[in-house]
Amino acid sequence: MSGVWVFKNGVVRLVENGAAAGGEAVRRRKVLVHTPSGQVVRSYAELESELRALGWERYYEDPALYQFHKRGSLDLISLPADFARFSSVHMYDIVIKNRDSFRVIDI
């Protein structure tokens, strides 16, 4: 359980995901950045282009996933087919497997 304890009008309560002084939740959005170009990855087409340049190959077997494999390694990147469901967990998976090419930042 994570959050911030807020004391207001004599009552203490836990507000999930942090909170501003006014009681509104503060949520930082994360984005994946292609480090050499400094560009934010905004679509799977952009991501696929960058991964192909790094030697990753796309698997087309499961239409519910975007999957990439790099020859000569055991690494597999699996992403949801809907880019709207692309989360920070997926971003960090890409960063770990391509350390010098991608990074995740808060905006």
Side-chain angles (χ1 to χ4, degrees), residues 5-87:
W5 289 98
V6 176
F7 183 79
K8 187 174 182 181
N9 299 329
V11 178
V12 176
R13 65 186 173 100
L14 178 65
V15 178
E16 297 292 327
N17 297 329
E24 294 180 21
V26 176
R27 187 172 181 211
R28 292 186 184 156
R29 197 171 126 217
K30 296 189 181 299
V31 293
L32 183 66
V33 176
H34 181 246
T35 306
S37 67
Q39 298 295 317
V40 173
V41 175
R42 298 184 190 278
S43 69
Y44 278 148
E46 291 176 16
L47 179 60
E48 184 173 354
S49 173
E50 300 300 344
L51 288 174
R52 282 185 185 270
L54 294 169
W56 291 86
E57 298 175 357
R58 179 154 177 222
Y59 285 162
Y60 292 93
E61 296 165 1
D62 187 351
L65 295 172
Y66 271 74
Q67 290 186 313
F68 298 91
H69 177 261
K70 197 169 194 177
R71 283 193 184 186
S73 79
L74 298 175
D75 291 336
L76 179 69
I77 298 173
S78 293
L79 309 171
D82 182 9
F83 191 75
R85 297 186 64 215
F86 183 62
S87 69

